[in-house]
Amino acid sequence: MKAFVVDEPGDARLREWPDPLNVEGEVLVTALLAGLCGTDLELIDGTIDPAYVRYPLVLGHEWVGRLEGDVVDVGPAGTFVVVEGVVPCGACEACRRDASNLCAVYDEIGFTRPGALAEHVSVPVGLVHRLGEDVALDDAVLIEPMAVVWRALTRVPLRRGLRVAIVGDGTIALLAVHLVGLFAPATTSVIGRREEQRDLATRAGADSFVIETPSEVFDLVIEAAGSGAAVASAIDLCARGGMVILLGLPPHGTRVELAPDDLVNNDVIIQGSFSYSRSAFAEVVGRINSGDLRPSFLITHRFTLDEAAEALKVLRGDVTKSEPRGKVVIDLAPG
Ligand SMILES: [Zn+2]
Ligand SMILES: [Zn+2]
């Protein structure tokens, strides 16, 4: 089959890839729509921690598809589905306490096993979730990144009425704006990098969008820009007794200077968050199926698999300097 493959860092292209084998306990899924994100660029560039990738690799970890076989408790062949990417061993201590993101045996679709920028993906049947009849694929394709954000939000003691700041204006930042709205914040401010992102931030639910770092402080600061400078800025923006969530993924090896006495004196929570738990993923699927979440407004660019290289250029910001840039998707079954 045709697939978009990273053979090694710096060498990514569309090429032939072996069809998935029939594996006991797995089912074949036809990939229909896949989102790209900054992590895909890190996989291509080799800037991701080598513990979390195995080359050669078929990219694609945010996706929806159609079952090629029946799955008990999910549906017959033809059912539209979304699939958890983190493949848990199910037996280790982390898996048993709903922390499959910390499974002793790290394995993830699109990182250590073939992803969805291909015609077919073989996936463990236990990770398949049925999509509701009325759910648009454009909404469902954002389930995976929303699960990442959701899991992070559920790690800290959120309450109504918080003053929230989101550092960054990429898709994860905008999804964070959207999801944090479910907790009824007093205000949600986006500290962005590009004026062109203002409208998307507003649609996601932001009350304000600024480029300059504000002088006020916030009860919850979500870092979603993925740079050392953004992490430092997020910590500076945190009010006494506040919380900082680190969602961005700076390049492996990034270091940030901290003033620990300020963190102590200010009684601050700093919460990192990696990937998602099984329950976080299921929760987001439920909210998509119920229609509570409709994030498809974030999709701004659409390409076919043949155009994947062009899509990656857009993702890097090489060709869209003066337009809004939300989620870039690959339509794997156009027409
Ligand atoms: Zn992603
Ligand atoms: Zn495990």
Side-chain angles (χ1 to χ4, degrees), residues 149 153 164-185 187-191 197-209 222 224 247 293 297-298:
V149 176
L153 294 178
V164 178
I166 286 99
V167 180
D169 58 18
T171 319
I172 284 286
L174 297 169
L175 286 173
V177 173
H178 202 48
L179 288 174
V180 87
L182 297 172
F183 294 89
T187 56
T188 306
S189 307
V190 173
I191 297 135
Q197 299 297 84
R198 177 183 295 275
D199 282 355
L200 285 175
T202 303
R203 290 187 72 183
D207 301 304
S208 74
F209 179 95
I222 301 175
L247 265 182
L293 291 169
F297 65 88
L298 276 172

Side-chain angles (χ1 to χ4, degrees), residues 88-92 94-95 103-105:
C89 77
C92 74
C95 283
C103 176
V105 190

Side-chain angles (χ1 to χ4, degrees), residues 71-75 128 130:
V71 177
V72 178
D73 297 334
V74 176
V128 179
R130 181 193 187 100

